[in-house]
Amino acid sequence: MSSAAKSSRSRQSVPSGVYQGNGGAAQESGVQLSDKLKIFKTENFDPDAYVQSKCQTMHEKEIRQMCSYLQDLKKASAEEMRKSVYANYAAFIRTSKEISDLEGELLSIHNLLSSQAALVHGLSDGVQSDSLTDGPDGSEQSHTSYIEDQDQSEIQKWATEFPDVLDVLLAERRVDEALDALDEADRIAAEAKRDQTLSAAEIKLLRDSISEHRQRLADQLAEAACQSSTRGVELRAAASALKRLGDGPRAHSLLLNAHNQRLQFNLQNIHPTSTSYGGVYTTALSQQVFSVISQALSDSLEVFGNESCYTSELVVWATHQAEGFAQLVKRHALASCAAAGGLRAAAECVQIALGHCALLEARGLSLSSVLLKLFKPSVEQALDANLKRIEESTAALAAADDWALTFSPGSSRASARVSAAGLGLQPKLSSSAHRFNSMVQDFFEDVGPLLSLQLGGSTMNGLLKVFSSYIDLLINALPNSMEDELNPEGSGNKIVRPAETEAQQLALLANASLLAEDLLPRAAVKLYQAAASADKRGQTNRMPEQRDWKKKLQRSVDRLRDSFCRHHALELIFTEDGESNLSAEMYISLDNVVLKEREWAPSLLFQDLYAKLNRMAAIAQDMFVGRERFATLLMMKLIEPVILFIADQSFWEEIEEGPHPLGPCGLQQFYLDMQFVIVFGQQGRFLSRHVHQVILDNIERAVNAFAATGLDPEQHLDGDDVIIEICQETISKISGGGRYANGDRDPNSPTASVSAHSMSSV
């Protein structure tokens, strides 16, 4: 019946979230869970065969998911069991004490009933003895009675002398002999009752004497155990004697109280001061606390063994001592560290405490969870303060940063770590980026020992936030652009020195890319390895996936890159007065200009675009050593805003729906400009597939708009060879420092009047 009930409870407690593999469809079709579990109740159930039958229908990914889920479930179950055990310790101890008291009361009732039974038997024996003396064989019965009287007199004599003997033993504190005498008295009393050699009244007097002396001996032992001078062997002997007297719970409580008194006395000699180092105070305190707990554990095991009630009381007592220790460390060491952002000092205090605590774990007493729970808020405060200090210190340096890339100054810990990492060259960063990198490297070293507090996830997310804040500073370092003028509320207060030259602006991207792609991920590797080891020990840190964390770093860099490209695109497209250098009108109006001699060349805006790309590519070649891919993507992104500006619908509305159609000269110039972008983009590897396709779509749209006027586009467009020759000539002039590169255009150029302002902005 009990097994059936247990089986029923098991079926009811099956969680709904258990991984079911292909069984989910069966449940959806109405099959009851109890029916599905019948297979496990059969006597011939083979678990290996069952698992093989299920796994054969599952893919490798599903099996791995199920194994991962079972591992997580195992960890969660172990953690829940540990919490449940700790939560129920107090109730268990209280119940054990109540059971012990109840056993004492039952023993008293048993003794009372035994005394009453002995009295009844004594009365009946007296009546029988009187009747026997009146019989015909009176002489023989009298002789037997005489012999019994002789035996009883010897027992009575012993019973009379017994209290005096015990008084002497107690007075002389001969505990072991007193215990032996009490045990002997219990044995004689039991034999006298069995053999009826003593009357019920005499047995009662004997038992009362035994009980009285037991109580006196127990009080004497308790008084001795409470003395501050009683330690070591004497304390264990007193507790052992009390346990032998049948008062084990009292003996164990006195043992723990004695150790508590010793601890409180020793703690009086440890005084924290405002000038003392927190680690010194924590070391002295933890040595006292955990040494006393260790000694109490040894004494308890030696005297009481592994009995559950005593072990549970010991755990509750040790937990209380650990909580008191943690509160002292928080008040006198961690509080000041947390307020000042001293993460390293806080980590050292925690490590010292956990190191002493680990010595107890080897003996089966785990108190680390108690310490971690109480230390975690203070360490989180220190963690947040440290991240805030990194952010503020970097911002202060950014306000005076000249955005010149240099090697790391001095021989700081960060430089030593980079050299030890085997990098080909030390990183070249600006002063604020060097400071940010150095502080983050130190931060990773300091936070590593704190993974046992399950702070890995908040640490990595906090660092992402700080890095994003630094990227905001770099974005603010970009000079005021047309975008800021159009949206003055979004520009914010510039608290950094502007990066005025293109080299300085590229240095902003060099800072961000080197930090996000190399330095920060490299520094985080050891932290992820430590987190993996902590996870194996059941200390789940919920760290973000390393790949996802790096992607989030890159997203912050992408924000800076997009702002950089948008700034330079707007610088090309708009003049300082806000007029556009790139519009449909610049192509439509070409057919209204009468020129004596037309010299075909790409529009000045696109020449400026190539000149800018050419200059930046040369600077980036020296600045992004080993990260050429990032430089190439940057050049691609620089072209994109200009081409997408042309692809916008507002640009084509005037050409396709305006009063003046696109003429032959306008079509030729537009086609030449787009082909020029394709040519220099492909030669410099500045052109992405997406932008290339947008350019082709723009050309097709212009040709269709021209064809809508009734004219044949093929008759007005030169061959591709001619167009490419013009583009190559322009590229050569700009790359070689010719007049196009210097902005010295022919005044008769068809687009000179339209784009005259943009060269000065470069």
Side-chain angles (χ1 to χ4, degrees):
M1 180 65 71
S2 61
S3 61
K6 180 177 180 182
S7 176
S8 176
R9 288 193 300 270
S10 301
R11 291 193 296 272
Q12 294 173 1
S13 62
V14 173
S16 60
V18 174
Y19 182 84
Q20 297 178 351
N22 297 329
Q27 187 172 1
E28 294 178 358
S29 63
V31 178
Q32 296 296 327
L33 182 61
S34 58
D35 296 335
K36 295 169 59 179
L37 294 178
K38 288 181 179 179
I39 186 174
F40 301 104
K41 298 167 61 177
T42 59
E43 295 181 357
N44 57 351
F45 174 71
D46 186 356
D48 294 333
Y50 178 79
V51 171
Q52 291 179 1
S53 65
K54 292 296 181 182
C55 292
Q56 287 177 354
T57 61
M58 297 172 63
H59 300 294
E60 179 181 358
K61 183 177 180 181
E62 293 177 341
I63 295 175
R64 289 184 176 180
Q65 289 178 348
M66 182 177 69
C67 292
S68 175
Y69 173 80
L70 292 175
Q71 289 292 337
D72 293 341
L73 190 62
K74 180 181 178 181
K75 292 180 181 178
S77 176
E79 179 67 17
E80 185 66 24
M81 183 180 69
R82 185 186 65 80
K83 292 180 179 179
S84 177
V85 169
Y86 275 105
N88 295 326
Y89 262 134
F92 183 81
I93 295 299
R94 185 174 60 255
T95 304
S96 298
K97 290 184 177 180
E98 292 176 356
I99 292 174
S100 179
D101 295 340
L102 182 60
E103 289 177 348
E105 294 178 0
L106 290 174
L107 182 60
S108 300
I109 294 174
H110 179 269
N111 293 336
L112 180 60
L113 293 175
S114 299
S115 300
Q116 292 177 351
L119 180 60
V120 172
H121 285 294
L123 293 174
S124 63
D125 291 342
V127 172
Q128 184 178 4
S129 177
D130 293 340
S131 62
L132 289 174
T133 55
D134 297 335
D137 299 328
S139 60
E140 184 178 355
Q141 292 173 357
S142 297
H143 179 71
T144 303
S145 176
Y146 173 76
I147 296 176
E148 291 178 355
D149 289 343
Q150 291 295 324
D151 294 337
Q152 288 176 359
S153 64
E154 293 178 359
I155 296 176
Q156 291 173 351
K157 181 179 179 180
W158 174 88
T160 303
E161 296 176 351
F162 170 73
D164 296 333
V165 173
L166 277 181
D167 288 339
V168 173
L169 294 176
L170 294 180
E172 295 179 355
R173 296 185 179 277
R174 294 154 63 181
V175 177
D176 292 336
E177 295 181 28
L179 289 172
D180 293 339
L182 288 171
D183 291 342
E184 180 67 16
D186 284 333
R187 184 185 63 80
I188 291 175
E191 290 179 354
K193 177 183 176 182
R194 183 192 62 202
D195 299 336
Q196 299 180 1
T197 56
L198 288 177
S199 65
E202 290 173 334
I203 293 177
K204 183 177 184 305
L205 290 175
L206 178 59
R207 290 194 179 278
D208 290 344
S209 179
I210 294 173
S211 299
E212 177 186 355
H213 286 85
R214 280 185 179 277
Q215 186 62 43
R216 286 176 55 189
L217 178 57
D219 294 340
Q220 186 180 96
L221 292 170
E223 182 181 359
C226 293
Q227 298 296 324
S228 59
S229 59
T230 304
R231 295 183 181 178
V233 177
E234 295 180 358
L235 180 61
R236 291 191 294 272
S240 179
L242 272 174
K243 180 187 177 186
R244 186 174 171 183
L245 286 172
D247 202 355
R250 184 185 183 188
H252 195 258
S253 298
L254 288 172
L255 178 69
L256 297 180
N257 289 336
H259 284 290
N260 183 60
Q261 291 178 2
R262 172 192 170 193
L263 175 61
Q264 298 305 319
F265 177 79
N266 292 339
L267 292 182
Q268 294 177 4
N269 299 322
I270 303 176
H271 302 287
T273 62
S274 58
T275 58
S276 65
Y277 175 51
V280 175
Y281 173 75
T282 305
T283 300
L285 195 66
S286 60
Q287 284 177 347
Q288 290 293 337
V289 172
F290 290 106
S291 63
V292 170
I293 294 177
S294 177
Q295 187 60 50
L297 174 61
S298 299
D299 291 348
S300 177
L301 292 176
E302 181 177 341
V303 177
F304 301 95
N306 290 319
E307 295 185 35
S308 59
C309 60
Y310 302 124
T311 303
S312 299
E313 186 179 11
L314 174 65
V315 171
V316 172
W317 177 83
T319 301
H320 179 72
Q321 301 302 325
E323 290 174 348
F325 160 76
Q327 294 295 344
L328 289 175
V329 173
K330 285 179 60 178
R331 186 182 309 120
H332 299 297
L334 284 181
S336 57
C337 296
L343 187 60
R344 188 178 306 169
E348 186 169 352
C349 291
V350 173
Q351 284 299 104
I352 291 170
L354 293 179
H356 285 88
C357 189
L359 299 177
L360 294 176
E361 291 186 0
R363 303 179 58 186
L365 182 58
S366 176
L367 299 175
S368 58
S369 59
V370 178
L371 300 182
L372 295 178
K373 179 180 179 181
L374 295 174
F375 286 158
K376 188 173 182 178
S378 296
V379 177
E380 284 180 336
Q381 183 183 358
L383 183 69
D384 294 339
N386 203 269
L387 290 171
K388 187 68 175 178
R389 183 169 60 87
I390 295 175
E391 182 177 347
E392 292 176 350
S393 179
T394 307
L397 282 177
D401 201 335
D402 59 0
W403 309 118
L405 301 184
T406 60
F407 291 112
S408 176
S411 57
S412 63
R413 289 199 300 167
S415 300
R417 281 189 299 271
V418 172
S419 300
L423 293 177
L425 292 174
Q426 292 185 9
K428 292 183 67 175
L429 300 168
S430 69
S431 59
S432 63
H434 274 304
R435 178 60 176 168
F436 181 85
N437 178 48
S438 176
M439 296 183 72
V440 169
Q441 298 284 345
D442 293 343
F443 173 78
F444 272 124
E445 285 193 359
D446 296 340
V447 82
L450 297 175
L451 288 176
S452 56
L453 290 171
Q454 300 181 1
L455 295 175
S458 58
T459 296
M460 303 307 293
N461 293 330
L463 190 60
L464 280 175
K465 183 179 179 181
V466 173
F467 181 72
S468 179
S469 177
Y470 181 62
I471 294 297
D472 291 338
L473 291 175
L474 300 182
I475 292 175
N476 286 340
L478 292 172
N480 290 329
S481 62
M482 187 64 191
E483 183 183 25
D484 296 329
E485 296 177 4
L486 295 175
N487 186 21
E489 296 181 357
S491 61
N493 296 323
K494 303 281 182 140
I495 61 173
V496 295
R497 176 182 292 183
E500 297 177 350
T501 66
E502 291 176 349
Q504 290 176 330
Q505 294 163 17
L506 284 171
L508 303 178
L509 289 162
N511 284 339
S513 62
L514 185 58
L515 287 170
E517 295 178 3
D518 190 0
L519 298 179
L520 298 186
R522 186 185 294 273
V525 168
K526 290 185 178 180
L527 195 64
Y528 273 96
Q529 291 175 347
S533 299
D535 289 342
K536 291 181 180 179
R537 296 192 300 267
Q539 300 168 348
T540 305
N541 277 274
R542 298 181 181 178
M543 295 271 284
E545 290 292 336
Q546 192 170 6
R547 182 180 300 176
D548 295 338
W549 187 75
K550 292 176 66 176
K551 286 182 179 179
K552 290 179 180 178
L553 289 175
Q554 188 58 47
R555 290 194 194 108
S556 296
V557 179
D558 292 343
R559 287 197 298 113
L560 174 61
R561 184 196 61 196
D562 293 343
S563 297
F564 173 87
C565 296
R566 185 166 54 251
H567 160 71
H568 285 280
L570 293 175
E571 191 178 47
L572 287 170
I573 295 173
F574 294 97
T575 65
E576 294 180 356
D577 300 330
E579 297 180 0
S580 177
N581 289 329
L582 183 60
S583 64
E585 180 62 26
M586 64 181 284
Y587 295 105
I588 294 175
S589 62
L590 289 178
D591 289 277
N592 299 327
V593 178
V594 179
L595 299 177
K596 295 180 181 180
E597 182 178 355
R598 189 180 301 276
E599 180 183 352
W600 288 108
S603 299
L604 187 58
L605 180 143
F606 293 99
Q607 293 187 45
D608 294 342
L609 174 61
Y610 172 66
K612 183 182 289 289
L613 289 169
N614 198 40
R615 290 193 305 272
M616 289 188 175
I619 298 172
Q621 185 176 2
D622 297 330
M623 194 173 290
F624 295 91
V625 177
R627 289 174 291 128
E628 289 77 9
R629 182 176 180 274
F630 181 86
T632 301
L633 291 175
L634 177 61
M635 299 301 112
M636 291 181 179
K637 288 294 182 179
L638 274 171
I639 299 176
E640 188 172 315
V642 178
I643 301 302
L644 293 181
F645 183 86
I646 298 175
D648 189 74
Q649 180 62 27
S650 59
F651 180 90
W652 293 99
E653 285 180 354
E654 189 173 355
I655 293 177
E656 297 173 342
E657 302 175 7
H660 303 289
L662 183 66
C665 292
L667 175 63
Q668 292 173 2
Q669 186 64 50
F670 184 82
Y671 184 74
L672 176 59
D673 290 342
M674 295 296 100
Q675 288 294 339
F676 178 63
V677 175
I678 292 176
V679 171
F680 76 69
Q682 290 179 341
Q683 287 186 0
R685 299 177 63 185
F686 303 150
L687 196 65
S688 66
R689 293 181 180 179
H690 171 65
V691 173
H692 189 192
Q693 184 60 46
V694 173
I695 292 174
L696 296 179
D697 294 341
N698 288 339
I699 293 174
E700 182 180 2
R701 195 165 185 177
V703 170
N704 292 336
F706 181 80
T709 62
L711 300 177
D712 185 7
E714 297 293 337
Q715 294 181 358
H716 297 279
L717 292 176
D718 295 329
D720 289 343
D721 293 340
V722 176
I723 296 297
I724 292 176
E725 182 180 353
I726 296 173
C727 294
Q728 293 289 2
E729 180 183 357
T730 305
I731 290 173
S732 178
K733 290 179 180 179
I734 295 175
S735 301
R739 56 177 179 167
Y740 285 83
N742 298 324
D744 186 16
R745 279 202 64 119
D746 186 344
N748 294 326
S749 172
T751 57
S753 61
V754 180
S755 305
H757 296 286
S758 70
M759 198 62 189
S760 61
S761 63
V762 178

